[in-house]
Amino acid sequence: MDIHTAYLSIGSNMGDREDNLRKAIKILQDNDDIEVTGCANIYETEPVGYDDQPYFLNTCLELKTTLDPYSLLKVCQKIESDLHRVRLIKNGPRTIDLDILLYDDLISDDPILTIPHPRMYERAFVLYPLKDIMDYKGKIPEDKSVKLIDKPYI
Ligand code: X6L
Ligand code: MG
Ligand code: MG
């Protein structure tokens, strides 16, 4: 079975945000088809897309996986439902959000799963953690909406 490299963005802005991130990472680590090979710092970030909601904690992960992109998406969606994500407001608060940013060098414009993630290169809350775990060649603009949470992680 081929082993693929994927990068995920994770975010939470409801309940115990850090615990939600950790629970999601633990579920991924416990999946026999996934190995978590990189874990970025945690950042506290201003909400984007819908202003009237709490600040997020965001991070990114590097995975090695035998799953194809759609099976990986299913795993992410199951984690969102297991951690009680409820969709009330578009772009609104959520206990957990897992987005597939990159999968090898795949380019897919399928509306169900667009890879690379269509807005990732504009979002400081994605780029700051991502640059912790991959050698990102692009320039990352300074952005005061993203603050490193300076403490040991896992
Ligand atoms: C105009 C219209 C401008 C829509 C921006 C931006 C929509 C971001 C959705 C937008 C627009 C999104 C997070 C977040 C969201 C997160 C932080 C999204 C989906 N998720 N803000 N906002 N962290 N800081 O994980 O990314 S909603
Ligand atoms: Mg998202
Ligand atoms: Mg999402």
Side-chain angles (χ1 to χ4, degrees):
M1 202 92 91
D2 284 355
I3 296 176
H4 305 276
T5 304
Y7 290 90
L8 305 188
S9 165
I10 330 178
S12 170
N13 75 338
M14 280 179 74
D16 186 334
R17 300 172 300 168
E18 190 180 327
D19 193 52
N20 293 334
L21 295 183
R22 290 181 192 285
K23 283 185 170 132
I25 295 164
K26 171 85 164 66
I27 296 170
L28 289 165
Q29 283 171 328
D30 288 347
N31 186 308
D32 290 341
D33 303 314
I34 294 170
E35 188 185 350
V36 178
T37 50
C39 194
N41 291 298
I42 297 177
Y43 295 79
E44 185 166 59
T45 64
E46 274 177 25
V48 183
Y50 179 82
D51 289 352
D52 188 18
Q53 61 176 324
Y55 275 45
F56 282 77
L57 292 184
N58 283 106
T59 189
C60 284
L61 301 176
E62 182 188 75
L63 310 180
K64 300 288 179 194
T65 184
T66 51
L67 299 173
D68 63 79
Y70 292 95
S71 305
L72 181 59
L73 178 65
K74 283 251 178 300
V75 169
C76 291
Q77 290 170 338
K78 170 97 168 43
I79 294 171
E80 289 179 346
S81 86
D82 288 352
L83 296 185
H84 310 294
R85 175 164 181 185
V86 181
R87 290 163 195 271
L88 295 174
I89 305 167
K90 185 172 167 17
N91 299 327
R94 67 282 302 269
T95 53
I96 197 77
D97 174 41
L98 293 96
D99 294 327
I100 302 172
L101 302 172
L102 300 166
Y103 184 95
D104 293 336
D105 44 19
L106 179 70
I107 296 176
S108 157
D109 61 3
D110 182 337
I112 294 169
L113 182 58
T114 310
I115 298 176
H117 192 281
R119 293 170 301 276
M120 63 175 283
Y121 299 109
E122 304 152 29
R123 302 278 176 262
F125 70 76
V126 173
L127 294 177
Y128 272 65
L130 189 59
K131 77 161 164 24
D132 290 340
I133 52 169
M134 77 178 287
D135 52 19
Y136 176 74
K137 300 283 193 274
K139 188 168 154 48
I140 299 174
E142 192 183 329
D143 194 319
K144 295 207 166 54
S145 73
V146 174
K147 186 177 127 238
L148 175 65
I149 304 296
D150 192 11
K151 70 172 161 179
Y153 190 51
I154 298 188

